[in-house]
């Protein structure tokens, strides 16, 4: 008896140690299904993904290309994060109707707010198209030749595929281009805002708590998908009706306990789990520090202005959050790589690989890969850092330089004639309008002063006095008239005269160099991946995230980030009150929420201990794009909403360490509590299927 227990224990530990991975939903049968069931899942692979019957996947939508969302009622009610709907919440907000500050709740369908440009995409089916995509590819071909043949093959595959008129197709490379999968998609474009808590709940803790545990953020918002009268995707129309989904997620009222099975289903964006050690070194020692410094310089200016000026606070809310988010993530990533010893682990692994090559007599085929990586990355380093800096300055932080980049592209388009110019002019105008919609010259000039010295030693603040582009009307006037005129006017604008040489240097020199070396490195990475899977077939291989639908699973679990420190996996409302700082911009708590706490008025949403749960941790392997992903229990009921990872574990994009990598989810009971008790939007709760799987 004891022995059997010991064996079971060892088996569980073994499985546990192996965790990590983002798996393709159509390929779960076998290894993943077994592993999930050994962790407590009651689901079959077909419950999760089925082409012929409705399955869990039908409830999971890619939210605007960058986040995940899920349907939680028969009426197309859609749940995602507050930070995923932030742009929409912001766009409906003004000083008079400040939905960021006060929250927003539609009390009936008529009050739901349409959102131009917002879409949600579902996966109808997934097909392996590797053979057709790699047809004719040989080892002798250069990376370029391979790519052009693959592009040709792609056309052939797309033409042959059977789908309905309203459906779309996507083909994506997996395992670094050693496999290809095709996705038939359905895209809904009439998505309306239904509800959002105030930022003091939805963004509670803001940047101080971002990427950090213990966490107390109610990071959710609600939307609704509308369809035409045939229940098909349609662009916005007053006549559209709530979408009737093939599947929607029941919501569990029973909550979670440490050790419970959890599964996260969503659209993770990008990971890089198979990089050689030399690449990880470059990222952590060169690229991250340079990018961090540029963003930090911009944030110093933006933060100071947001705290003293309410209009700037609204204008820069979304932008600031975006800049701060990756800034803090990179810092955590560097710490995690350091702490986990990932570079040395990779070096050791590469020694194993080299030994295995020898043993299998594959040195002539694959022996050059690792030395070649060393050579290429050394050459790549200055170009890689420079290009990253350009992006951080000209695309992420400094808005005047962003406008200059756009108009430089307009001038380049003019070289291709009138028609090309006209097209480019329209998009340039739109981009400039978009920037000016939330623009403060004072803030942007401050950003310029701090950021530009990190890119060049040519600084000239006076351009802000004389350029037309800090004023929308004047900027649009420059772009008016015939082509020659516009180009002449542009070339006498001081900001353009200043920026143009740097932009041209980028397009003529850094960018082509970067692309050339990047193509070479990617080609080598494809061969490396192939070699790994052939030479060391017993390793755990999952394809890197690429914004396609994935399943990841694990358990509710705390963690020990430092000596003598252990973090519990669940936080409670008590912790919100502990962090409460009256009128602080990050840690204020709405009066109503404090009253509910004092009265312990938690409805059906409290834990067995009488406390109201807020967030919990799991060992699910997630990344950016998994925001808004559902966390499901062993039966496929909704128990949580993924929104973050712990700081010590953000290096999981490069190296997944089951000891310290955790994802952070909002407990669904907190979501229900806020909708019901805080917002009084009981009608939304009534739409959902609330279940008690543990009773
Ligand atoms: N860190 C999470 C993610 O990567 C949440 C970001 C939004 N929250 C924030 N305070 N900026 O997207
Ligand atoms: N907050 C991230 C997102 O927006 C998810 C957290 C992560 O990167 O793991 O997708």
């Amino acid at each position: 008896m004891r022995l059997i227990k010991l064996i079971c224990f060892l088996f569980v530990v073994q499985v546990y140690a192996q965790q990590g991975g983002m798996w393709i939903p159509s390929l779960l049968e076998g290894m993943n299904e077994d592993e999930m069931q050994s962790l407590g899942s009651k689901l079959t692979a077909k419950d999760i993904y089925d082409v012929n019957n409705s399955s869990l996947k039908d409830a999971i939508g890619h939210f605007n290309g960058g986040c995940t969302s899920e349907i939680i009622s028969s009426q197309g009610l859609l749940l995602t994060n507050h930070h995923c709907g932030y742009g929409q919440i912001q766009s409906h907000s003004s000083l008079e109707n400040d939905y960021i500050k006060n929250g927003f709740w539609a009390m009936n369908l008529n009050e739901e707010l349409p959102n131009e440009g917002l879409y949600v995409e579902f996966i109808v089916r997934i097909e392996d198209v590797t053979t057709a995509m790699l047809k004719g590819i040989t080892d002798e071909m250069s990376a370029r030749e391979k790519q052009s043949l693959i592009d040709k093959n792609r056309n052939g595959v797309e033409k042959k595929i059977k789908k309905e008129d309203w459906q779309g197709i996507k083909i994506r490379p997996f395992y670094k281009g050693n496999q290809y999968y095709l996705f038939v998609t359905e895209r809904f474009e009439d998505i309306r805002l239904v509800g959002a808590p105030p930022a003091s709940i939805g963004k509670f803790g803001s940047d101080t708590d971002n990427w950090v545990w213990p966490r107390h953020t109610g990071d959710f918002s609600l939307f609704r998908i509308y369809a035409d009268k045939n229940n098909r995707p349609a662009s916005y129309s007053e006549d559209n009706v709530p979408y009737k989904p093939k599947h929607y997620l029941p919501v569990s009222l029973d909550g979670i306990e440490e050790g419970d099975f959890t599964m996260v289903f969503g659209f993770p964006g990008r990971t890089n789990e198979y990089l050689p050690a030399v690449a990880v070194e470059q990222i952590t020692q060169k690229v991250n520090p340079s990018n961090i410094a540029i963003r930090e310089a911009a944030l110093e200016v933006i933060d100071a202005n947001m705290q003293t000026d309410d209009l700037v606070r609204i204008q820069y809310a979304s932008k600031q959050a975006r800049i701060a988010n990756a800034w803090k993530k990179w810092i955590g990533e560097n710490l995690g790589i350091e702490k986990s010893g990932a570079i040395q682990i990779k070096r050791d692994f590469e020694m194993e690989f080299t030994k295995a090559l020898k043993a299998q007599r594959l040195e002539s085929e694959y022996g050059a890969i690792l030395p070649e990586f060393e050579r290429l990355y050394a050459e790549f380093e200055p170009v890689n850092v420079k290009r990253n800096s350009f992006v951080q300055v000209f695309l992420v932080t400094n808005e005047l330089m962003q406008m200059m980049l756009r108009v430089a592209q307009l001038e380049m388009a003019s070289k291709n004639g009138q028609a090309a110019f006209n097209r480019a002019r329209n998009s340039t105008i739109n981009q400039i309008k978009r920037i000016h919609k939330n623009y403060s010259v004072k803030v942007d000039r401050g950003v310029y002063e701090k950021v530009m010295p990190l890119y060049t030693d040519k600084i000239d603040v006076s351009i802000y006095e004389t350029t037309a582009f800090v004023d929308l009307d004047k900027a649009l006037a420059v772009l008016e008239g015939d082509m020659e005129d516009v180009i002449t006017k542009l070339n006498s604008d001081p900001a353009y005269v200043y920026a143009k040489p740097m932009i041209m240097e980028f397009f003529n020199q850094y960018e082509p160099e970067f692309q050339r070396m990047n193509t070479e490195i990617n080609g080598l990475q494809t061969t490396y991946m192939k070699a790994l899977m052939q030479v060391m077939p017993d390793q755990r291989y999952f394809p890197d995230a690429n914004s396609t639908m994935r399943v990841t699973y694990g358990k509710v679990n705390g963690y020990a980030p430092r000596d003598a420190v252990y973090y519990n996996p669940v936080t409670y409302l008590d912790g919100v009150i502990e962090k409460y700082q009256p009128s602080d911009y990050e840690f204020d708590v709405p009066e109503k929420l404090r009253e509910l706490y004092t009265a312990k008025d938690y409805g059906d949403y409290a834990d067995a201990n009488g406390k109201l749960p807020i967030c919990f941790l799991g060992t699910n392997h997630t990344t950016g794009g998994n925001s808004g992903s559902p966390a499901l229990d062993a039966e496929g009921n909704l128990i949580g909403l993924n929104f973050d990872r712990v700081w010590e574990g953000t290096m999981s994009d490069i190296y997944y360490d089951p000891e310290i990598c955790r994802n952070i989810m909002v407990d669904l009971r907190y979501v229900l509590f806020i909708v019901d008790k805080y917002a009084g939007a009981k009608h939304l709760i009534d739409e959902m299927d609330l279940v008690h799987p543990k009773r």
Side-chain angles (χ1 to χ4, degrees), residues 66-67 83-84 211 325 622-627 642-645:
C67 279
H83 78 262
C84 294
W211 299 111
N325 194 41
T622 54
T623 187
N626 271 123
S627 274
N642 184 74
F643 73 104
D644 212 354
R645 276 173 289 166

Side-chain angles (χ1 to χ4, degrees), residues 57 97 158 194 370 412 419 429 486 607:
K57 74 130 173 56
N97 279 321
E158 284 180 349
V194 172
L370 292 173
M412 287 186 250
I429 288 175
V486 173
D607 217 344

